[in-house]
Amino acid sequence: MMSLLTLLGASFQIDACYYNEDEDLWRVQVHATDQGADLAAEYMEYQKKKMTESNIVLMFGNLLLEMGEYTKAERYFDTILSSSNPNDEEIACIFFNFGRTHRLKGDFARAINCYNRAYNLHMNARPKRAASAAKTLNGMGVVYSEQGRQLKAEECYQHAMKLYKKNVPKKHVDVAGTLINLGTIDCER
């Protein structure tokens, strides 16, 4: 029944959590809340805003990445880079997406190089695009984490948090993602 409720988008608040040594089992008491509806509505609003602010040319490449079509996405971004006349922000976003593509393909060295290039483009822009640079640092941290280089990953996440703190609201979804990544490193310790 719990999985059906979860599929329906129900959310639960944890009331108690305890370990039963006799059964070697954790017991968690929860109760249903309507908070999930608010969170879902907020997420949908965020996605709508993201779509209206997105560059339509880059959106197709992002869709290819989401579909797992990494090679096609890489070719698509490469075509945009070489055949059109992208501005410096689009170039930075293309290199960010090259970083994502190479990470997803397991080519970590190329991913780091692309993320570094995107980061430098964002930070050297006038005015700086610090929020985009922070998102790039988060992506770089994910690569380092997947390589088992947790200290380097944590360094990237912490630097991203400093940039986010000055440039986006505390409840921004990218801040949450970076906090989750930092939490994962803490849990692994």
Side-chain angles (χ1 to χ4, degrees):
M1 177 143 165
M2 180 78 113
S3 61
L4 177 60
L5 289 173
T6 304
L7 287 174
L8 294 174
S11 62
F12 301 89
Q13 181 174 331
I14 298 173
D15 296 323
C17 182
Y18 58 92
Y19 181 72
N20 183 322
E21 288 185 32
D22 295 334
E23 296 177 356
D24 190 28
L25 186 69
W26 282 94
R27 299 236 182 229
V28 180
Q29 292 177 325
V30 298
H31 72 272
T33 70
D34 60 357
Q35 184 180 16
D38 295 338
L39 292 173
E42 188 176 326
Y43 177 76
M44 293 300 291
E45 192 58 37
Y46 166 74
Q47 289 298 336
K48 283 183 200 174
K49 183 178 179 194
K50 190 168 131 181
M51 286 182 70
T52 58
E53 293 174 356
S54 290
N55 180 318
I56 195 72
V57 174
L58 298 178
M59 195 180 294
F60 181 69
N62 286 319
L63 179 61
L64 288 170
L65 283 175
E66 295 297 323
M67 293 170 38
E69 298 287 347
Y70 310 135
T71 302
K72 288 179 183 177
E74 183 177 6
R75 279 193 306 245
Y76 180 76
F77 289 124
D78 194 42
T79 300
I80 293 170
L81 192 60
S82 61
S83 67
S84 66
N85 192 14
N87 62 41
D88 74 322
E89 184 172 8
E90 289 170 329
I91 293 170
C93 291
I94 289 169
F95 277 98
F96 172 82
N97 283 302
F98 278 148
R100 287 178 60 205
T101 302
H102 294 307
R103 178 185 68 80
L104 292 166
K105 290 170 73 174
D107 190 346
F108 298 136
R110 286 181 72 189
I112 292 295
N113 287 336
C114 290
Y115 280 134
N116 273 320
R117 189 145 178 206
Y119 173 80
N120 289 329
L121 286 166
H122 286 306
M123 292 303 286
N124 292 325
R126 294 293 168 244
K128 288 182 183 179
R129 293 185 297 270
S132 295
K135 188 171 183 169
T136 302
L137 284 167
N138 183 68
M140 202 179 307
V142 170
V143 174
Y144 286 128
S145 182
E146 288 179 359
Q147 290 179 310
R149 298 173 64 188
Q150 301 308 350
L151 290 176
K152 191 74 172 158
E154 183 177 22
E155 203 176 282
C156 289
Y157 299 144
Q158 292 291 357
H159 190 181
M161 288 303 296
K162 287 177 186 172
L163 291 174
Y164 282 140
K165 190 173 186 176
K166 297 176 186 173
N167 297 285
V168 298
K170 283 194 306 191
K171 292 186 178 184
H172 193 278
V173 68
D174 291 338
V175 172
T178 301
L179 287 171
I180 288 169
N181 292 337
L182 281 166
T184 301
I185 287 176
D186 284 344
C187 282
E188 289 174 357
R189 283 188 186 134

